[in-house]
Amino acid sequence: MHQFQVQAPGALVVTHRPNVARGDWTATIGGIPSMGVRMATVAQWRSGQIIREILFMRELSAEETPRPTARPSLTLTNPDDEGLRRAAGVYQGWSCAVHGTALGGRTVTFARRDRGLVVEQYVFAE
């Protein structure tokens, strides 16, 4: 991320969709439309501060998407909570799963389900 900030110091992440939140964890896909860049972040919060963050800088195509071989190391699923939807744009049906634990070897999958079927999916790698 530091390298990216050096190369494009004025770039601002202006889109955040989808948002996934559960307990003290949040996940989102951010975008910099002016640069055509998308990335994902998964963060753990404590007392209003991020205490752990994983950045996924490369969006994978359907052909690149690995098949998970183990259970996710972290799974978040949005609750059906109208207040959370209004306050933070956290919509029901979205989930996020982080696979892998080693730095540089993790992927994150955002999926939206409708009646049990995946209808939208995005996968990113570190």
Side-chain angles (χ1 to χ4, degrees):
M1 185 68 170
H2 176 72
Q3 178 74 16
F4 181 76
Q5 290 172 327
V6 168
Q7 292 175 346
L12 297 174
V13 178
V14 295
T15 59
H16 293 90
R17 185 193 174 277
N19 295 318
V20 181
R22 188 64 147 195
D24 59 351
W25 288 91
T26 61
T28 193
I29 296 174
I32 305 171
S34 64
M35 297 180 69
V37 173
R38 286 173 22 120
M39 64 194 79
T41 182
V42 177
Q44 184 178 20
W45 296 77
R46 185 174 297 139
S47 302
Q49 301 278 327
I50 293 175
I51 60 168
R52 180 176 176 208
E53 184 174 36
I54 308 167
L55 296 174
F56 299 87
M57 299 297 291
R58 189 168 70 90
E59 187 168 8
L60 302 179
S61 67
E63 295 80 28
E64 294 176 290
T65 300
R67 293 213 184 276
T69 58
R71 292 182 56 183
S73 55
L74 175 67
T75 302
L76 309 173
T77 301
N78 281 348
D80 184 11
D81 184 329
E82 184 62 23
L84 191 56
R85 185 195 63 77
R86 274 194 238 113
V90 173
Y91 287 87
Q92 179 183 5
W94 280 101
S95 65
C96 165
V98 176
H99 283 89
T101 56
L103 181 62
R106 291 178 283 218
T107 61
V108 64
T109 302
F110 288 80
R112 182 172 65 87
R113 296 185 190 292
D114 186 13
R115 297 183 188 112
L117 298 174
V118 174
V119 294
E120 199 171 352
Q121 179 172 292
Y122 305 100
V123 182
F124 291 81
E126 281 184 298

